[in-house]
């Protein structure tokens, strides 16, 4: 197995700990696992060969399968590496299509809504922002997110029109090269969501995440209380359908609670 990771597995970089767990578990299972940086590949597209991959200048034998662990920081080059391997018959878990679908929060919402799955109403930001349009479509409070944020970064809750006005003025003039979405605020689920792990079409675990105090985000990196959760069948079905729509073999699907007992899919990872 090749595990693709773009940082040092022995570092404190987010995600490195999970990679070390993969290494440890593979050794116990007698699986030969190599951690490889996707940026160190050279791609050769050649119709004369059914296998071509150079890594740090060296030819490699075909692996049985590949696990990408780049997350939302997946670049075009990294996706090209995954597609190159897939086109040469290698099983990639998750696929390049699934990785691309969840790296972009707007694309995730577009795919899920096209399958008639419940998601918060979402607007792609364009500057200058028409605040009246946002207020009419979504109202306030409104959630502002960067399209490729991860682990809760780049997410702000704007409680009022004035707060929103100040924020969009700031990001609109900063020329940060970052795209944003504006998203409906689900009040009943403030500071709380359920993360369900879906593996090959089955929910294998779930955790209830509750932010402490009045905090808005329930990411593990923040002050969050975690507890095991036994998800009802309809919630499990929603997570499984989301993973299927996004073409993810392995997914963490985050679910919000509505006041009427129904759910919304916040995002998938």
């Amino acid at each position: 197995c090749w595990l693709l990771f773009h940082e040092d597995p022995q570092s404190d970089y987010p995600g490195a700990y999970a990679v070390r767990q993969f290494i440890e578990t593979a050794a116990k299972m007698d699986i030969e696992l190599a951690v490889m940086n996707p940026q160190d590949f050279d791609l050769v597209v050649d119709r004369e060969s059914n296998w071509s991959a150079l890594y740090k200048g060296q030819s490699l034998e075909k692996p049985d399968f590949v696990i990408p662990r780049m997350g939302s920081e997946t670049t075009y080059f990294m996706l090209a590496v995954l597609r190159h391997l897939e086109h040469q018959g290698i099983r990639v878990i998750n696929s390049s299509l699934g990785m691309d679908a969840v790296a972009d929060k707007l694309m995730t919402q577009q795919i899920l809504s096209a399958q008639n799955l419940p998601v918060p109403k979402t607007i792609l930001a364009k500057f200058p922002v028409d605040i009246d349009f946002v207020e009419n479509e979504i109202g306030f409070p409104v959630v502002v997110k960067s399209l490729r944020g991860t682990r809760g970064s780049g997410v702000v809750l704007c409680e009022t029109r004035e707060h929103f006005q100040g924020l969009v003025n700031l990001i609109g003039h900063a020329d940060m090269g970052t795209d944003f979405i504006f998203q409906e605020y689900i009040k009943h689920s403030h500071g709380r969501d359920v993360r369900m792990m879906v593996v090959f079409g089955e929910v294998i675990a779930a955790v209830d995440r509750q932010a402490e105090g009045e905090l808005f985000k329930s990411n593990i990196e923040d002050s969050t209380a975690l507890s095991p959760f036994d998800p009802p069948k309809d919630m499990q079905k929603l997570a499984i359908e989301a993973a299927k729509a996004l073409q993810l073999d392995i997914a963490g699907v985050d679910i919000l609670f509505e006041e009427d007992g129904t759910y919304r899919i916040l995002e998938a990872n």
Side-chain angles (χ1 to χ4, degrees):
C1 172
W2 294 352
L3 190 148
L4 304 188
F5 187 60
H6 55 300
E7 296 290 339
D8 181 0
Q10 303 306 319
S11 69
D12 293 331
Y13 189 85
Y17 174 71
V19 171
R20 293 195 293 273
Q21 288 183 303
F22 271 100
I23 295 169
E24 183 179 311
T25 303
K28 292 177 181 177
M29 298 177 68
D30 198 27
I31 293 172
E32 185 180 342
L33 183 144
V35 179
M36 308 172 81
N37 190 325
Q39 297 168 130
D40 288 334
F41 278 88
D42 289 301
L43 304 184
V44 180
V45 180
D46 180 9
R47 70 173 184 169
E48 301 299 326
S49 172
N50 65 359
W51 170 241
S52 61
L54 292 175
Y55 185 74
K56 295 183 177 180
Q58 301 295 316
S59 296
L60 301 171
E61 295 292 324
K62 246 182 184 181
D64 293 304
F65 61 101
V66 170
I67 300 174
R69 290 290 300 172
M70 296 91 69
S72 65
E73 292 158 350
T74 303
T75 64
Y76 173 82
F77 186 88
M78 294 174 186
L79 275 176
V81 170
L82 297 184
R83 287 193 291 263
H84 188 74
L85 298 174
E86 288 168 336
H87 290 159
Q88 296 185 90
I90 295 172
R91 177 68 187 276
V92 178
I93 308 167
N94 290 298
S95 72
S96 60
L97 291 173
M99 295 284 288
D100 199 24
V102 296
D104 180 326
K105 289 183 172 64
L106 180 65
M107 186 185 296
T108 300
Q109 301 296 312
Q110 290 169 328
I111 292 171
L112 295 177
S113 63
Q115 295 297 316
N116 200 32
L117 296 173
V119 295
K121 198 171 193 179
T122 303
I123 295 173
L124 177 63
K126 66 176 183 179
F127 297 91
V129 175
D130 184 339
I131 296 179
D132 290 335
F133 173 72
V134 174
E135 185 170 24
N136 289 336
E137 289 293 329
I138 296 179
F140 295 103
V142 64
V143 180
V144 179
K145 295 182 178 180
S146 61
L147 278 186
R148 290 183 174 264
T150 183
R151 292 177 285 273
S153 65
V155 180
V156 177
L157 175 65
C158 292
E159 297 275 4
T160 65
R161 180 185 175 105
E162 291 71 28
H163 184 193
F164 181 71
Q165 173 88 62
L167 180 63
V168 298
N169 286 346
L170 176 64
I171 61 180
H173 288 98
D175 191 27
M176 295 181 291
T178 301
D179 291 311
F180 291 86
I181 54 174
F182 307 136
Q183 200 165 66
E184 179 184 4
Y185 166 64
I186 309 301
K187 180 179 179 181
H188 191 69
S189 207
H190 181 96
R192 183 192 179 198
D193 66 19
V194 168
R195 162 69 61 89
M196 278 185 283
M197 292 303 302
V198 181
V199 180
F200 297 107
E202 180 183 356
V203 175
I204 65 164
V207 62
D208 190 314
R209 308 190 298 185
Q210 178 70 61
E212 294 182 359
E214 296 300 315
L215 290 177
F216 162 61
K217 294 178 289 185
S218 58
N219 302 81
I220 292 176
E221 285 77 7
D222 298 317
S223 297
T224 302
L226 306 175
S227 57
F229 186 78
D230 184 13
K233 292 295 184 182
D234 55 345
M235 183 186 281
Q236 291 190 46
K237 183 173 183 288
L238 203 56
I240 292 167
E241 289 176 346
K244 181 180 178 181
L246 296 165
Q247 301 188 54
L248 294 173
D249 300 309
I250 301 173
V253 182
D254 299 341
I255 303 292
L256 301 175
F257 296 86
E258 289 275 28
E259 191 171 5
D260 63 0
T262 58
Y263 312 106
R264 300 278 190 107
I265 303 167
L266 175 61
E267 63 181 34
N269 301 271

